[in-house]
Amino acid sequence: MSMDAGSGIPGDGSRHTRWQDLIADIGRPGSEKEDEMAAPRTRLTAGERSEQVLTAAVVAFAESGYAATKTDEIARLAGVSQPYVIRLFGSKQQLFVESVQRACDRVEEIFRTAAADVGPDASPEDRLHSLGAAYDVFLTERELLMLLLHGFAASGDPVIGDRTRDRFGRIYRLVRDLTGASAEEARDFMAKGMLLTVLAAMQVLGPGARVCDWATELLENLVDE
C-alpha cells in the first residue's frame, strides 16, 4: 500500500486555502443590530450565519489551538459580535467541538470521493492507494490537519476528548469499510497519514514547504513503500 505525497514536495509557495476563501467575503465586524441598519444587503438566515461563524472558527482554532483562541477573534473573522457567537454555540468549548466535527466531516467526504473514483472490482490495496492519493487535498486545506492536531492535544478535556476519540474511530472504521482493508492494513494507512500530518504541521510537506534533507528522504521512502 502506498500513500501519494507528490504535490507535497517543497516548491509551491502558495499558502491560500479553501477555508480562507470561504471566509474571504464575510461581512464587516459589528453587531447584529448594526447589520440591520446597514445599507441594503442580502440578509443571511440563521443557518447561514452559523455556518459563517463555524468556518471562521475552523480557521482561528487551526491557527491558535483551543486554549489560545478567543471568541472575539472568531467573531471578528465572521463579521459578527462576540455575544452573538456565544448565543449561537453556547461556549467556546462547544464551538471548538463543532469545528473538529466539521474537519472530520471534510476528511470523510474526501475519502468517500476518493473511494468512488476506483472501480467496483478494485482490490483493497488499490482502494487504499486512491484514499492515500487524496491526501494531496488535505495539503491544500492545511486547516484540517492543524485543527485535528489541536483536537488531539485538547483531548484532556472530557467533552472534547470524548468527541475527538469517537470521530477518529469513525474515520478508521470508514477506511476499512470503503477499502475492505484488514485491521493491519488500515492501521498502517492511518499511521502513514498521521506521519504526513505531523510533517505538514512542521511545514516540511505541502505548499511552501521548507526543504529538509531528512524530510525529503523520509518522504521518498514513504512513497516508495
Side-chain angles (χ1 to χ4, degrees), residues 4-215:
D4 186 0
S7 69
I9 299 301
D12 181 5
S14 174
R15 304 290 296 176
H16 202 60
T17 71
R18 171 182 181 268
W19 295 92
Q20 291 167 336
D21 287 339
L22 288 174
I23 65 171
D25 296 325
I26 290 177
R28 60 175 175 78
S31 68
E32 289 301 289
K33 183 176 181 180
E34 289 171 337
D35 284 346
E36 293 172 1
M37 298 172 62
R41 56 189 295 185
T42 302
R43 285 189 58 84
L44 299 178
T45 66
E48 290 169 335
R49 183 67 78 183
S50 178
E51 185 68 21
Q52 280 191 337
V53 172
L54 187 55
T55 299
V58 167
V59 173
F61 284 129
E63 178 68 24
S64 302
Y66 175 57
T69 300
K70 299 183 181 300
T71 52
D72 57 359
E73 171 63 11
I74 295 170
R76 184 189 66 79
L77 286 173
V80 300
S81 65
Q82 188 270 352
Y84 187 69
V85 171
I86 298 303
R87 179 146 49 101
L88 283 176
F89 290 93
S91 67
K92 185 176 83 166
Q93 180 195 61
Q94 186 58 35
L95 181 53
F96 182 76
V97 167
E98 293 300 325
S99 299
V100 173
Q101 301 306 300
R102 174 56 54 86
C104 291
D105 288 344
R106 179 64 176 150
V107 170
E108 292 185 3
E109 176 188 3
I110 291 169
F111 279 164
R112 291 182 189 279
T113 299
D117 287 341
V118 297
D121 297 326
S123 66
E125 182 178 2
D126 288 340
R127 293 178 183 276
L128 284 170
H129 181 82
S130 183
L131 266 62
Y135 204 90
D136 282 351
V137 178
F138 299 149
L139 295 178
T140 67
E141 299 183 25
R142 189 168 181 269
E143 289 88 352
L144 292 179
L145 306 180
M146 297 307 299
L147 185 51
L148 287 174
L149 289 176
H150 285 306
F152 302 153
S155 288
D157 179 292
V159 174
I160 295 172
D162 283 348
R163 296 293 296 277
T164 302
R165 285 185 289 271
D166 176 68
R167 287 310 297 264
F168 192 81
R170 283 173 54 179
I171 291 172
Y172 164 74
R173 290 191 292 271
L174 180 66
V175 168
R176 292 203 64 188
D177 290 344
L178 291 176
T179 65
S182 67
E184 181 179 5
E185 290 170 331
R187 179 200 64 200
D188 290 346
F189 177 86
M190 298 288 284
K192 290 178 181 178
M194 287 307 304
L195 174 58
L196 293 178
T197 297
V198 170
L199 293 176
M202 290 191 290
Q203 297 187 2
V204 296
L205 175 66
R210 279 64 167 172
V211 178
C212 296
D213 291 343
W214 63 265

